[in-house]
Amino acid sequence: MSTRIVRTIGDEILKKKSKDVVELSDRLKELIADMKETMTESKGCGLAAVQVGVLRNIIIVQPEEGKEIYTFINPKITYMSDEKEEGIEGCLSVKGKKGIVERPKKIRFTAFDEDMKESEYEAEDFFARIVLHEVDHLNGNLYVEKINGRLYDTEDKIPGFEDDEDEKDNK
Ligand code: NI
């Protein structure tokens, strides 16, 4: 395993759409292991393959710090609640910044795991937010295009969100 370089805003690859994985080759397994190491070292809670320069529909998500890192291959959102919620987001590809993004509170999605077994998942709140942020990456979109208000520096306090400031928000 090794860490990989995280591509940052301005890099054209971040605007490209990723492609579905058909077979999980040894190369892709190594990619997933490297993504986990890269995300952990960067203190992130989510990462999409495109962020390390590979245009494949693979995301990893860690909703709780220090706990399980989920791998979702070819994730497809199947339901989004009408109820929405604002929350703070940051991104390992947009270093030192954060902003408020409104997203559905609950989602359902299908994805394959590392054994290429497909399941349907439900997620809400922070978990749903990370999945949606990462799926945006797979579609070539960054959260900075959908923020409410302006982009803040990571150390800024955002009015109305002071209590959320400890939340790990780098995706
Ligand atoms: Ni991100």
Side-chain angles (χ1 to χ4, degrees), residues 11-163:
D11 190 321
E12 287 298 310
I13 200 167
L14 293 173
K15 295 181 181 173
K16 293 186 176 164
K17 275 179 78 79
S18 294
K19 291 195 170 76
D20 272 349
V21 172
V22 178
E23 192 198 337
L24 202 61
S25 62
D26 287 345
R27 260 180 81 164
L28 290 178
K29 285 179 187 164
E30 193 181 324
L31 166 71
I32 292 167
D34 288 353
M35 283 172 67
K36 289 177 181 172
E37 193 172 328
T38 303
M39 184 187 75
T40 301
E41 189 165 290
S42 323
K43 302 193 187 315
C45 58
L47 192 69
V50 60
Q51 290 181 275
V52 293
V54 180
L55 289 166
R56 287 289 175 271
N57 285 327
I58 300 173
I59 65 173
I60 57 170
V61 172
Q62 188 179 37
E64 290 182 82
E65 197 173 349
K67 299 223 173 133
E68 185 172 359
I69 301 174
Y70 298 94
T71 302
F72 297 126
I73 298 165
N74 304 342
K76 302 278 180 289
I77 307 293
T78 55
Y79 165 82
M80 292 191 279
S81 65
D82 290 334
E83 189 184 354
K84 294 187 167 69
E85 208 168 53
E86 287 190 320
I88 299 174
E89 293 190 20
C91 180
L92 294 174
S93 296
V94 189
K95 290 197 174 81
K97 300 289 179 186
K98 63 182 180 182
I100 302 297
V101 182
E102 186 180 85
R103 298 209 187 254
K105 187 174 166 57
K106 291 182 188 174
I107 60 168
R108 282 197 290 273
F109 61 100
T110 58
F112 293 83
D113 62 18
E114 286 177 51
D115 297 316
M116 287 307 275
K117 182 177 168 291
E118 191 178 25
S119 304
E120 188 172 35
Y121 300 88
E122 270 188 12
E124 58 180 66
D125 300 324
F126 192 53
F127 193 170
R129 177 172 298 281
I130 310 172
V131 171
L132 290 166
H133 177 113
E134 301 315 328
V135 169
D136 277 354
H137 275 300
L138 301 182
N139 289 317
N141 299 318
L142 293 175
Y143 83 96
V144 295
E145 297 146 18
K146 43 178 77 172
I147 50 172
N148 292 343
R150 67 177 178 89
L151 207 54
Y152 292 84
D153 289 334
T154 303
E155 55 276 11
D156 288 349
K157 294 204 186 302
I158 304 181
F161 290 86
E162 291 86 351
D163 294 343

